[in-house]
Amino acid sequence: MTAFMEKHRRKIFWFIIAAAFVSIFAYNFLTLYMSDDYFYLIEVQKAENLFDLVKQQYGEYLSNSGRVIGQFNVRLSLVFDKQVFNVVNSLMFTGLVLLMYANIRRKRKHDILVLLLIITFLWKYAVDFGQTMLWICGACNYLWGSVIILGFVTFFRHLLDKAENLKHPVWCCTGTFLFAIAAGWCNENTSGGALLLVLLFGLNFWWDRRKEGKKALYPFMIAAVFGMCCGFLGMISAPGVRNRSQVKSEGEYTGLVGLLSRIYKISMSVKELFFTVLVIIVIVLVILALQKRFSAWKQIRSNETVLFLLSAIATCYALALAPTPMNRAFFGAGIFLFIACIQGIVDASEEEMTIRAAKYGLVSVLCLWFCFNYLENLVNLARIYREENARIEMIRADKADINGDGIVVVPKLREEFENPYSYAYASELEDDKDYWINIFYEIYYDVGNITAIPRDEWDELYGEEQE
């Protein structure tokens, strides 16, 4: 078996990449519009051209959010058929996998162990998978944003590796600056964490090269930091950010007490979201220390596990500067944390059979979990997809009925189908026609009012009429 794997390692590697694309595409296909998607669908329908979308986004920049890149991607995604988004979003997920893989150093060529660890870590430990990977508004801000951010970090590290042989320095500097602006303008805390990573990698490069008596500072390094700062400042200085912060911070503690309260809440969220990953990292760090990988200051300051871990911590606790965030705000920190953990696993020497068994045992258990979990929730998503489509057909049928009264009562989704890969239950229709999501449905489908009642109750009242 080992000989077969070694002989066909490259083919197996790319087969797994293809399987990762297909697996996420199936989940994307079974995820319909939900929550704020309807709000943006209503707005996008009013736009007649690209310039109208730009004007809409500028209005949002002034009133609600500084995330120009992520929010504009939401609008663009909703212009096209949902199937276009399904393909692009699946490519983004696959791109995130490959970028994480590219940031793991000292691995084997076409390293299947590393690839499987990345994929299974994302499926098991990624924060609020349904919100950050599948829901259109969430994916464009968190998944796509992380691809841009990590793409820039990867690009910057590549430039550092090739610094002495770079051609066309002016074009390189210009391209770096523009890419850096995009990376800095994606997400408040994740972009900040990436800026810290760029500074840490740049400082290590500068320190090592200066000791060797070589050129230690290049224009692209300055362009990278300056560009990220420009993008970051453009995002956080948006008038909409101030407006939103004032609304969200109402009723919260202020001053030092407020800061300490938010730090405590963030610590509890980190424990809830990442405790298992942190345990693995602690074990890995102990193993690396015992294997004398941290016996000198240079080994510590240049170790990627340490650098990505520091960036993940900073990305989490930067949230203490803002009102209490949603869990999905920790998504980017999770990506940095996963890279730190997997890098440590790779660096742990396999000379001892126990270490080797632990590595392959871990990835085997995660793959086993993935197979069962994926199948179970694929079925759950298919059930939700079926029920949501049936509700939409009820709404459209009532609208098409010339004798209809414009009052539609639909069943709620069955509670037993709820799972971490669907955001539908957090934005479920209610029995109040004036509830925010009900209003979005009413405007988008152009009906008088919509209410939703529990499935059992709906079956008793309307089930026979549908037969």
Side-chain angles (χ1 to χ4, degrees), residues 259-302:
L259 179 62
L260 293 175
S261 174
R262 291 191 292 272
I263 289 174
Y264 168 77
K265 290 177 181 178
I266 288 169
S267 299
M268 294 303 98
S269 295
V270 169
K271 175 187 174 184
E272 176 190 352
L273 298 171
F274 302 125
F275 184 74
T276 303
V277 179
L278 289 171
V279 168
I280 297 173
I281 288 180
V282 169
I283 294 172
V284 165
L285 289 174
V286 169
I287 292 172
L288 292 177
L290 292 174
Q291 293 180 347
K292 298 183 179 180
R293 300 297 181 90
F294 298 140
S295 57
W297 167 240
K298 180 180 178 179
Q299 291 179 307
I300 297 173
R301 66 172 171 80
S302 62

Side-chain angles (χ1 to χ4, degrees), residues 69 148 151-153 155-156 159 166 168-186 195 198 218-234:
I69 293 176
I148 295 171
F152 179 73
V153 172
F155 174 71
F156 181 75
L159 292 181
L166 287 177
H168 312 295
V170 175
W171 286 108
C172 176
C173 193
T174 304
T176 300
F177 178 71
L178 295 175
F179 197 176
I181 291 177
W185 211 316
C186 283
L195 175 58
V198 166
Y218 288 82
F220 75 84
M221 297 167 67
I222 299 171
V225 175
F226 184 60
M228 289 199 76
C229 288
C230 289
F232 186 75
L233 290 174

Side-chain angles (χ1 to χ4, degrees), residues 376-445:
E376 177 186 4
N377 289 300
L378 180 70
V379 173
N380 283 330
L381 287 178
R383 290 165 172 164
I384 296 171
Y385 178 85
R386 179 193 64 204
E387 293 204 343
E388 177 63 7
N389 270 324
R391 297 198 308 190
I392 293 171
E393 287 304 315
M394 291 178 201
I395 296 169
R396 286 175 171 161
D398 187 87
K399 178 184 176 182
D401 185 359
I402 58 174
N403 296 317
D405 56 8
I407 300 173
V408 187
V409 181
V410 298
K412 288 188 175 186
L413 301 171
R414 288 182 172 89
E415 293 181 2
E416 57 266 32
F417 300 158
E418 187 171 3
N419 65 87
Y421 301 97
S422 176
Y423 189 43
Y425 289 85
S427 57
E428 173 65 304
L429 293 166
E430 296 294 339
D431 58 2
D432 178 7
K433 64 182 179 61
D434 295 322
Y435 188 62
W436 64 273
I437 188 64
N438 294 51
I439 294 174
F440 288 168
Y441 270 69
E442 290 160 7
I443 296 173
Y444 181 72
Y445 292 109

Side-chain angles (χ1 to χ4, degrees), residues 155-273:
F155 174 71
F156 181 75
R157 296 182 72 184
H158 174 75
L159 292 181
L160 290 178
D161 291 339
K162 306 293 183 181
E164 289 185 341
N165 302 315
L166 287 177
K167 298 178 181 179
H168 312 295
V170 175
W171 286 108
C172 176
C173 193
T174 304
T176 300
F177 178 71
L178 295 175
F179 197 176
I181 291 177
W185 211 316
C186 283
N187 182 280
E188 293 83 356
N189 62 321
T190 309
S191 291
L195 175 58
L196 176 60
L197 264 179
V198 166
L199 287 170
L200 291 173
F201 282 122
L203 285 171
N204 272 298
F205 176 86
W206 173 81
W207 194 319
D208 291 338
R209 294 295 292 260
R210 196 182 65 153
K211 284 188 173 182
E212 296 172 2
K214 298 180 180 178
K215 183 178 179 180
L217 188 63
Y218 288 82
F220 75 84
M221 297 167 67
I222 299 171
V225 175
F226 184 60
M228 289 199 76
C229 288
C230 289
F232 186 75
L233 290 174
M235 176 172 53
I236 65 172
S237 63
V241 173
R242 292 193 296 272
N243 296 338
R244 191 171 182 178
S245 295
Q246 289 173 359
V247 172
K248 291 184 70 175
S249 61
E250 290 179 0
E252 290 198 350
Y253 293 114
T254 58
L256 180 60
V257 174
L259 179 62
L260 293 175
S261 174
R262 291 191 292 272
I263 289 174
Y264 168 77
K265 290 177 181 178
I266 288 169
S267 299
M268 294 303 98
S269 295
V270 169
K271 175 187 174 184
E272 176 190 352
L273 298 171

